[in-house]
Amino acid sequence: MSDDHFFKDKTAIVTGGGRGIGRAMAKRLAGLGALTILAGPTRENLLAVVADIQKSGGKAEAVPTDIGREEEVVSLFQFAAKRGGVDILVNNAAVGVFGRLTDTSAAEWDRVMGINLRGAFLCAREALKSMAAHGRGGRIINIASAVGFRGYVDQGLYTASKHGLVGLSKVMALEGREHGVITQVIAPGGVDTELLSRARPDLDRSGLMSPEDVADAMEYLLRQRGNALVDCLNLRRSGKEPW
């Protein structure tokens, strides 16, 4: 268990922390010494990750949360406030519905936007309030995607939500500056997760990035404390065409 002085007095919230990329990032933050609060819809998944973290000597707590519900997001940040307020938010939670736009229902649109964009907004809003109130500044890392910058067939809803998240991040970065809050984006390409396996079952999984690769990128951004900052970190699979 690594203990970094910068992280050990920090409280972090990771949404979608019960599996995939969120699980990897939650374990990384706890490994660095932060009290890590895992939010997600499935209590059993969250508790399993918390147990793994605690076995390794880390500090973690689970708060089952549907981030599409405003009252549950407010409750999540009230929980964090009792622990001194949030210093790091990783906006990772996402869902996907895949298929042609002509076969997509308005209800499916609402479901994807409700989590991927509305939920991310609600969490960011509460994080900005918390960070402004405690006066320590903070970091918000929004997990976008390669589809936040280009389009893919059969991924219209997911693509629109991630484009929206990138745009939201630009405003968050501007509005957070006066409070010392830095907003950054990680935009990974293919990562070996359940969501990607549904979106792109044609991909060779051996060539995909791992959730830990994204956790590496998160740690890199959080360790930037000088005069140079990265606004958006694009990650591509090593087998993909550069640029």
Side-chain angles (χ1 to χ4, degrees):
M1 175 65 66
S2 170
D3 188 12
D4 186 288
H5 177 72
F6 174 76
F7 292 95
K8 70 178 182 179
D9 296 323
K10 299 293 189 291
T11 297
I13 291 177
V14 179
T15 67
R19 60 183 182 177
I21 293 172
R23 175 174 55 200
M25 292 189 295
K27 293 177 77 171
R28 180 66 57 85
L29 285 164
L32 290 166
L35 167 61
T36 304
I37 300 171
L38 287 73
T42 308
R43 178 184 296 273
E44 292 76 14
N45 291 349
L46 299 177
L47 291 176
V49 181
V50 167
D52 284 345
I53 289 171
Q54 292 176 343
K55 284 179 185 176
S56 300
K59 298 175 294 181
E61 299 188 64
V63 181
T65 306
D66 177 352
I67 66 166
R69 295 181 176 274
E70 185 173 18
E71 67 276 13
E72 294 192 26
V73 172
V74 171
S75 179
L76 168 65
F77 281 84
Q78 289 173 340
F79 181 91
K82 294 177 182 178
R83 283 140 184 84
V86 64
D87 300 288
I88 299 166
L89 167 66
V90 181
N91 248 333
N92 164 73
V95 297
V97 173
F98 304 104
R100 296 300 166 111
L101 292 174
T102 50
D103 297 325
T104 302
S105 69
E108 289 170 326
W109 170 274
D110 290 343
R111 175 171 175 255
V112 171
M113 296 301 164
I115 297 297
N116 298 9
L117 195 50
R118 184 176 189 271
F121 151 70
L122 291 172
C123 290
R125 185 191 69 187
E126 296 306 308
L128 285 167
K129 288 180 182 178
S130 176
M131 293 170 183
H134 64 51
R136 298 189 299 270
R139 295 290 186 101
I140 299 174
I141 295 182
N142 292 326
I143 307 303
S145 167
V147 307
F149 297 92
R150 59 170 296 180
Y152 288 87
V153 172
D154 292 337
Q155 297 190 46
L157 302 193
Y158 193 70
T159 296
S161 70
K162 293 301 184 179
H163 270 71
L165 182 59
V166 171
L168 180 65
S169 299
K170 294 176 181 180
V171 178
M172 289 166 55
L174 293 171
E175 294 188 359
R177 291 179 70 183
E178 64 182 294
H179 302 294
V181 179
I182 296 167
T183 298
Q184 296 163 295
V185 171
I186 300 175
V191 182
D192 191 6
T193 63
E194 179 186 335
L195 189 149
L196 184 71
S197 69
R198 290 191 288 109
R200 293 291 305 278
D202 57 302
L203 291 179
D204 177 7
R205 298 178 78 90
S206 67
L208 298 177
M209 290 180 280
S210 71
E212 288 71 26
D213 291 326
V214 185
D216 288 343
M218 175 199 70
E219 182 177 346
Y220 167 73
L221 293 181
L222 291 174
R223 287 188 180 278
Q224 287 190 302
R225 297 191 278 276
N227 289 330
L229 286 173
V230 173
D231 291 317
C232 180
L233 198 55
N234 292 290
L235 304 179
R236 68 170 176 86
R237 290 178 281 140
S238 58
K240 286 282 286 185
E241 187 81 10
W243 297 98

